[in-house]
Amino acid sequence: MTVTPKISINDGNLVVHGKTILTGVPDNIVLTRGSGVGLAAGTFIGATASDSKSLHVFPMGVMEDLRFMCCFRFKLWWMTQRMGTCGKDVPLETQFMLVESKDEAEGGDDAPTIYTVFLPLLEGQFRAALQGNDKNEVEICLESGDNAVETNQGLCLVYMHAGTNPFEVINQAVKAVEKHMQTFAHREKKKLPSFLDWFGWCTWDAFYTDVTAEGVDEGLKSLSEGGTPPRFLIIDDGWQQIESKPKDENCVVQEGAQFASRLTGIKENEKFQKNGRSNEQVPGLKHVVDEAKQHHDVKFVYVWHALAGYWGGVKPAAAGMEHYDTSLAYPVSSPGVMGNQPDIVMDSLAVHGLGLVHPRKVFNFYNELHAYLASCGVDGVKVDVQNIIETLGAGHGGRVSLTRSYNQALEASIARNFADNGCIACMCHNTDGLYSAKQTAVVRASDDFYPRDPASHTIHISSVAYNTLFLGEFMQPDWDMFHSLHPAADYHGAARAIGGCAIYVSDKPGNHNFDLLRKLVLPDGSVLRAQLPGRPTRDCLFVDPARDGNSLLKIWNVNKCSGVVGVFNCQGAGWCKITKKTRIHDESPGTLTGSVCATDVDVLSQIAGTDWKGEAVVYAYKSGEVVRLPKGASVPVTLKVLEYELFHFCPLKEITSYISFAPIGLLDMFNTTGAVEQFDIHMALDKKPELFDGEISSELTTSLSDNRAPTATIALKVRGCGRFGAYSSQRPLQCTVDNTVTDFIYDSETGLVTFTLPVTQQEMYRWNVELQV
């Protein structure tokens, strides 16, 4: 028997599972099948050229009439999503592409949908990206970033993987590439830093670079007094020693950051020194960290620095920093980045230059910086402006070599100095870095939260969700800080609650919405974090919920015993390829209607267990409605722009033919079902359930006697405090919380059982709840 590969080139056509994906494939495009476990379903695409160059563009073939979704860099630092149907729709700097097709070999309308992922890779000193041209060809752009580093071929430039479940296909593809490249690790193998499970505050949007020691203290105090104490703190840009230049009228300043400024020392500046003076016995930064931890019960303090030290790097021959061998370098963007959005940081650095620590000395730089921070009690770093390194590869073996040198040095220093893998990677959406990250476990998922830009809020939510499809395979995506007192605060908060990401704000001291924050933060400062990176549902993968005027964005995730689907109206704004910037393209997007169902949560059946029959109880957070949903049924949802709803899907457990149960969770928290940690059913052994009159037509129309003996005990482990809800088809006989009998309310029309969990003094406390039914 001959095994036909699922991916092949036949008569100039690239065929995947019987469906032609590309036509007119040139003769210089070669396929190499993946070998070994995990690579069997995949194929590498390579290309050859007649001459050696530092930059090649290889057409792969023509793509037409197929829906695709891709993540591309719209500017040097960040990706966003784009949907299309043909080659010319593929943007410059595409780093991830998912294509939809039907398996024609299976025949008929019932043929399964096939999802094919394209991952442009790093090979040697070269980095590949995808792009389209006006002939609808999809091209591989291969470049080294150093004119002296040339090649005439690449065998493993793009990896293709295909299957019937898009989330599994992406997961398997990245794991296959991990095995092939051996230069990075998948998210599932990495240690997640502990701060993710606690509420945080970042100084950036509160103070920008004007942050001071006093400001840090005020912010922590202000949030704690309102009952939502931050347990992690990020001291963002503004704490370091940088050149004190006179204000240059021509120097670009955005939100206080002077992009050409350079680092002059590894210690804190005078704003963080006690009484404005350096004190060798107790450094000012240590004093700030000690205050935060001892007086405000902060558990984790992170501080900001750029990958190059500061925006403009390290000042050459600065006193005490001569041993880093810093020299001025002038960044050069790749043609793909230049063809998308120009960047003010690059404009500034191209004129003024960046002080680049020699790659052989960069570990020493990081290690001395991080050792000093650790001695002050700092637990980790937010490492920003990372992609600048790709523009400085000339003379250093190219962009991939230089990026890998810096990444390896950074990760080695973090491993040595911060026990909890304390690193947040930021402004780092290039594959040079992603495919070089063996340890870094948290990555900012999109461009910033911009409190004063009305166009940014819908874009932010759609971008983090689609970028997470790709980034979430490498690290836990961080959906950024936001303001709790803001017209779009609820919208942002609801998304963070189901994103699986850190939850932190950048409120100015005194500017808080505590009613909103209490939907996210428990009194002990912990959060109910979802289990996975939040991603768009399958039916959203190829529609455009930011631009098409028709589609709602649905984001799915799971908690330990349930699933959740957040629905957001994100229409009206996006990145414009003509103006090369983000803009509003519909001033008044319409009200949209869609629907949700249990199977929108891709892995709900795994959460529910083998005996689940597909029935679920759905709790809609905003409306408060509880609905028992038959298998295959859906719930409608209608939203205006910047509106949302969170649907929690709780698999229904059939205890007997007339008693069914599903725990829901804390009804007033955004991530309601995140409160339920464990759900067990213990059947009563010695009692046979008492029936009414022999025959029971339906559990939904029959009420059992309150005097009956219990049939089963439901045992739950739950976190948090406040209104707790569960579904029971029969009124429970008794409810206890930590063995104390507790009053409950039962609504026989909906089956909703509610009772109150008290506030506990213990952190991360798990209540033992029992209901007899």
Side-chain angles (χ1 to χ4, degrees):
M1 145 179 190
T2 306
V3 178
T4 308
K6 294 287 191 181
I7 301 173
S8 59
I9 295 176
N10 302 330
D11 301 324
N13 296 328
L14 180 66
V15 179
V16 178
H17 287 253
K19 174 68 177 180
T20 298
I21 302 291
L22 299 175
T23 59
V25 177
D27 292 341
N28 68 325
I29 295 294
V30 292
L31 297 190
T32 305
R33 292 190 65 191
S35 60
V37 180
L39 290 167
T43 298
F44 292 98
I45 303 174
T48 59
S50 55
D51 52 346
S52 285
K53 294 190 293 187
S54 62
L55 189 150
H56 292 272
V57 175
F58 297 113
M60 284 198 302
V62 173
M63 182 171 72
E64 293 176 319
D65 301 321
L66 288 173
R67 294 201 302 174
F68 75 82
M69 172 264 154
C70 70
C71 296
F72 74 102
R73 282 198 296 168
F74 68 97
K75 59 182 174 186
L76 176 63
W77 323 105
W78 302 114
M79 295 190 298
T80 192
Q81 78 278 6
R82 173 63 55 84
M83 290 72 179
T85 56
C86 58
K88 70 170 181 283
D89 293 339
V90 180
L92 297 166
E93 279 296 310
T94 291
Q95 301 188 123
F96 165 88
M97 184 164 74
L98 187 68
V99 180
E100 176 193 55
S101 61
K102 290 278 189 184
D103 189 339
E104 293 180 345
E106 298 284 328
D109 291 336
D110 296 332
T113 299
I114 299 297
Y115 301 90
T116 304
V117 66
F118 290 79
L119 297 177
L121 305 176
L122 311 179
E123 185 170 66
Q125 293 170 285
F126 283 79
R127 178 253 190 187
L130 301 178
Q131 59 192 39
N133 66 26
D134 289 339
K135 294 186 277 189
N136 275 336
E137 290 174 317
V138 179
E139 300 172 331
I140 304 170
C141 178
L142 183 70
E143 61 188 314
S144 70
D146 185 340
N147 290 337
V149 178
E150 298 184 332
T151 190
N152 63 357
Q153 67 168 13
L155 287 179
C156 300
L157 303 182
V158 178
Y159 181 67
M160 291 177 64
H161 201 90
T164 54
N165 180 310
F167 307 107
E168 289 177 6
V169 165
I170 297 165
N171 181 269
Q172 290 163 2
V174 174
K175 286 178 176 175
V177 170
E178 175 194 20
K179 182 175 181 184
H180 163 74
M181 293 179 70
Q182 298 190 3
T183 57
F184 73 99
H186 191 275
R187 169 183 54 82
E188 293 166 14
K189 293 182 180 174
K190 293 177 175 176
K191 173 180 170 49
L192 287 181
S194 308
F195 79 84
L196 289 168
D197 293 312
W198 300 90
F199 175 57
W201 178 62
C202 177
T203 61
W204 181 239
D205 286 312
F207 298 111
Y208 299 118
T209 53
D210 293 328
V211 61
T212 63
E214 295 74 22
V216 170
D217 192 64
E218 286 170 28
L220 295 173
K221 184 180 177 192
S222 183
L223 280 163
S224 296
E225 285 176 347
T228 56
R231 296 294 185 236
F232 83 89
L233 162 68
I234 300 175
I235 301 174
D236 214 293
D237 186 5
W239 69 272
Q240 291 167 292
Q241 297 175 15
I242 60 171
E243 300 167 293
S244 53
K245 292 181 173 178
K247 292 279 184 188
D248 179 354
E249 292 301 315
N250 299 315
C251 182
V252 178
V253 178
Q254 178 179 299
E255 291 164 336
Q258 288 208 43
F259 294 130
S261 294
R262 302 186 191 112
L263 197 67
T264 57
I266 61 171
K267 296 185 177 180
E268 69 278 13
N269 59 38
E270 70 282 352
K271 293 184 295 173
F272 283 79
Q273 290 163 1
K274 199 129 171 113
N275 305 320
R277 290 194 303 276
S278 179
N279 178 339
E280 290 307 315
Q281 286 158 334
V282 182
L285 183 61
K286 178 169 173 43
H287 184 74
V288 172
V289 173
D290 287 349
E291 285 279 308
K293 291 185 175 183
Q294 291 164 18
H295 293 169
H296 300 294
D297 294 325
V298 170
K299 293 176 179 293
F300 309 100
V301 177
Y302 279 46
V303 302
W304 180 98
H305 70 80
L307 191 60
Y310 197 67
W311 292 94
V314 172
K315 186 178 181 181
M321 302 177 85
E322 300 90 347
H323 57 298
Y324 300 142
D325 288 357
T326 301
S327 57
L328 274 189
Y330 292 84
V332 178
S333 277
S334 66
V337 169
M338 293 287 285
N340 286 336
Q341 183 170 324
D343 189 79
I344 57 174
V345 181
M346 280 296 294
D347 293 346
S348 184
L349 293 174
V351 174
H352 297 280
L354 177 142
L356 185 70
V357 173
H358 195 283
R360 282 199 301 272
K361 299 297 178 70
V362 75
F363 171 74
N364 293 346
F365 168 60
Y366 291 143
N367 186 47
E368 288 168 24
L369 170 62
H370 295 159
Y372 174 70
L373 294 174
S375 76
C376 293
V378 170
D379 302 283
V381 282
K382 172 181 171 180
V383 185
D384 211 347
V385 206
Q386 296 205 15
N387 287 359
I388 196 66
I389 301 300
E390 77 173 51
T391 69
L392 301 164
H396 295 285
R399 55 185 290 171
V400 173
S401 299
L402 188 62
T403 298
R404 191 157 287 160
S405 294
Y406 265 66
N407 255 39
Q408 287 173 347
L410 178 72
E411 292 195 333
S413 176
I414 283 163
R416 174 181 283 197
N417 293 291
F418 303 123
D420 196 36
N421 196 20
C423 183
I424 302 167
C426 192
M427 295 176 78
C428 60
H429 289 187
N430 65 4
T431 45
D432 314 54
L434 290 173
Y435 288 124
S436 301
K438 289 190 168 182
Q439 176 183 304
T440 307
V442 179
V443 58
R444 268 279 307 282
S446 79
D447 202 348
D448 293 10
F449 165 75
Y450 290 111
R452 291 174 295 283
D453 179 3
S456 71
H457 303 296
T458 52
I459 291 170
H460 190 99
I461 303 308
S462 59
S463 290
V464 292
Y466 286 98
N467 286 346
T468 292
L469 280 168
F470 180 45
L471 295 173
E473 299 300 325
F474 298 85
M475 307 178 200
Q476 174 60 57
D478 171 345
W479 290 11
D480 202 12
M481 61 195 107
F482 68 104
H483 276 171
S484 71
L485 195 61
H486 188 278
D490 255 47
Y491 189 75
H492 281 283
R496 306 303 192 280
I498 61 157
C501 51
I503 295 173
Y504 59 116
V505 294
S506 53
D507 295 352
K508 279 184 164 60
N511 289 32
H512 316 290
N513 178 347
F514 287 110
D515 288 339
L516 167 64
L517 290 174
R518 280 189 283 270
K519 300 173 187 178
L520 291 162
V521 188
L522 295 171
D524 65 357
S526 67
V527 296
L528 302 176
R529 191 168 67 87
Q531 298 287 293
L532 298 172
R535 288 161 287 178
T537 57
R538 195 181 296 210
D539 58 350
C540 284
L541 290 175
F542 303 104
V543 299
D544 189 347
R547 296 178 191 80
D548 67 12
N550 299 313
S551 308
L552 293 169
L553 172 63
K554 301 192 296 184
I555 300 170
W556 70 273
N557 211 325
V558 293
N559 292 304
K560 287 183 178 171
C561 302
S562 60
V564 59
V565 177
V567 189
F568 300 83
N569 187 330
C570 299
Q571 294 288 345
W575 188 81
C576 175
K577 61 185 177 184
I578 296 159
T579 61
K580 309 286 187 195
K581 63 182 182 182
T582 294
R583 70 178 186 91
I584 294 175
H585 52 254
D586 185 350
E587 292 286 353
S588 53
T591 300
L592 299 178
T593 296
S595 64
V596 292
C597 59
T599 51
D600 284 336
V601 180
D602 191 71
V603 296
L604 190 61
S605 59
Q606 294 172 33
I607 298 286
T610 51
D611 58 345
W612 184 49
K613 296 178 180 174
E615 236 186 318
V617 170
V618 59
Y619 170 67
Y621 169 78
K622 279 189 81 174
S623 73
E625 291 179 8
V626 174
V627 178
R628 180 167 168 164
L629 210 57
K631 182 178 181 179
S634 60
V635 178
V637 55
T638 299
L639 299 172
K640 296 174 183 171
V641 71
L642 284 170
E643 287 186 343
Y644 70 93
E645 179 61 282
L646 304 175
F647 293 93
H648 292 271
F649 289 93
C650 310
L652 196 67
K653 292 279 188 187
E654 192 176 283
I655 297 171
T656 67
S657 59
Y658 50 88
I659 301 178
S660 297
F661 188 90
I664 299 172
L666 289 173
L667 302 177
D668 299 316
M669 301 291 284
F670 280 137
N671 191 19
T672 303
T673 50
V676 181
E677 303 248 324
Q678 200 174 316
F679 169 28
D680 294 302
I681 298 166
H682 305 295
M683 299 300 294
L685 298 175
D686 55 339
K687 303 280 185 187
K688 288 196 174 176
E690 296 171 15
L691 308 184
F692 262 148
D693 36 24
E695 289 297 318
I696 289 189
S697 55
S698 160
E699 61 171 288
L700 300 177
T701 58
T702 307
S703 295
L704 297 183
S705 162
D706 282 350
N707 297 322
R708 70 186 191 276
T711 304
T713 299
I714 313 292
L716 305 174
K717 286 195 187 305
V718 301
R719 275 183 56 215
C721 57
R723 281 197 314 143
F724 187 90
Y727 170 87
S728 179
S729 61
Q730 301 290 341
R731 179 185 178 87
L733 297 172
Q734 182 176 279
C735 171
T736 62
V737 176
D738 279 3
N739 296 320
T740 301
V741 176
T742 301
D743 290 340
F744 64 89
I745 298 168
Y746 181 67
D747 182 340
S748 57
E749 287 193 15
T750 62
L752 181 65
V753 183
T754 53
F755 53 91
T756 301
L757 292 174
V759 177
T760 173
Q761 299 306 309
Q762 292 183 43
E763 285 184 347
M764 290 279 187
Y765 186 73
R766 286 160 178 76
W767 298 102
N768 289 304
V769 173
E770 291 193 349
L771 294 111
Q772 292 189 348
V773 292

